[in-house]
Amino acid sequence: MKIDHQLAEQWITPRSQVLDLGCGDGSLLAHLQRALGVDGYGIEIDQDKIIDCIANGVNVIEQDLNDGLARFADNRFDTVVMARALQAVKAPDQLLLDMLRVGRQVIVTFPNFAHWQNRIHLGIKGMMPMSEALPYQWYDTPNIHLCTFKDFEQLCADHDIRILNRFAVQEYSRPYAWAAAQVIRKYPNLLADVAVYRVTKR
């Protein structure tokens, strides 16, 4: 599993209700079902990935996340997970609030646009950066609202969202041996390429 999926597993209670937004092939939810006995649903729009979800034994709903979560009642789920998809929706602030409405806690992960490699790429080349965490050209990227650790935390402050946990993940290229885990935690906006948050309503 991706490292942010591994972290998400630590925060999910066995046999709880889970909603996975932008669930892809359903691999995370399928793992949580096997390992923790959770009950839940995935939401996905890609037809091929929906077929994969079904093959993986995941209950999946075909839906565009831009349409929101109105089909679900308040506090319907113990945990709502959204891995690396928040930056691809039209109104990430509104979707985050909707996630907090239907879930008691929310786990969200996203690529950190302020990672040092992106800064150098943009500063030296003068072009939108590409990396393993952001593997798209500017004209074909699904990422329309790129953000950073600081941006997300400001969003939480603006909407009175409580941050329970934050992990700064250096998942991809590791060109600097000196950047141990504690250093990455100290300077997440510069050194981490993936952000992982667990948040809830105040």
Side-chain angles (χ1 to χ4, degrees):
M1 288 194 300
K2 294 178 180 178
I3 191 167
D4 52 342
H5 288 184
Q6 296 174 36
L7 291 169
E9 181 182 359
Q10 297 177 19
W11 296 326
I12 294 174
T13 304
R15 294 175 295 282
S16 60
Q17 300 285 320
V18 176
L19 178 65
D20 186 0
L21 305 184
C23 65
D25 63 4
S27 56
L28 173 60
L29 198 50
H31 171 75
L32 294 174
Q33 289 174 169
R34 290 190 303 269
L36 300 178
V38 305
D39 182 26
Y41 295 89
I43 293 183
E44 181 56 55
I45 194 170
D46 186 295
Q47 288 285 341
D48 292 334
K49 292 177 180 177
I50 289 171
I51 292 170
D52 292 337
C53 283
I54 295 169
N56 283 328
V58 169
N59 295 320
V60 61
I61 298 169
E62 182 179 0
Q63 180 184 323
D64 187 338
L65 291 175
N66 291 308
D67 296 334
L69 304 174
R71 69 170 64 216
F72 299 112
D74 294 1
N75 297 315
R76 167 65 178 80
F77 297 94
D78 297 298
T79 304
V80 179
V81 180
M82 191 176 201
R84 310 190 197 197
L86 187 67
Q87 73 283 351
V89 299
K90 292 178 181 177
D93 56 338
Q94 295 305 309
L95 184 57
L96 180 60
L97 292 173
D98 215 9
M99 293 161 69
L100 288 163
R101 177 186 64 80
V102 304
R104 294 177 178 84
Q105 69 170 356
V106 166
I107 299 169
V108 61
T109 80
F110 54 87
N112 173 33
F113 193 66
H115 186 255
W116 69 270
Q117 289 178 314
N118 294 336
R119 298 186 193 202
I120 290 175
H121 189 110
L122 185 59
I124 293 177
K125 294 189 175 182
M127 300 175 68
M128 288 298 289
M130 289 181 63
S131 65
E132 290 177 326
L134 295 167
Y136 301 98
Q137 296 281 0
W138 66 270
Y139 52 81
D140 66 359
T141 180
N143 301 317
I144 58 176
H145 289 294
L146 293 166
C147 69
T148 71
F149 281 81
K150 290 184 177 180
D151 290 321
F152 185 80
E153 292 181 10
Q154 184 62 57
L155 173 63
C156 291
D158 291 345
H159 291 282
D160 202 26
I161 296 169
R162 181 184 176 198
I163 297 173
L164 298 175
N165 300 93
R166 178 188 76 179
F167 273 88
V169 176
Q170 173 62 31
E171 182 178 58
Y172 294 103
S173 56
R174 303 172 186 271
Y176 41 92
W178 56 268
Q182 62 269 23
V183 179
I184 295 172
R185 283 195 297 268
K186 188 173 181 181
Y187 303 105
N189 213 42
L190 180 65
L191 299 179
D193 50 19
V194 176
V196 184
Y197 283 87
R198 181 167 71 112
V199 301
T200 189
K201 299 181 286 288
R202 288 196 182 275

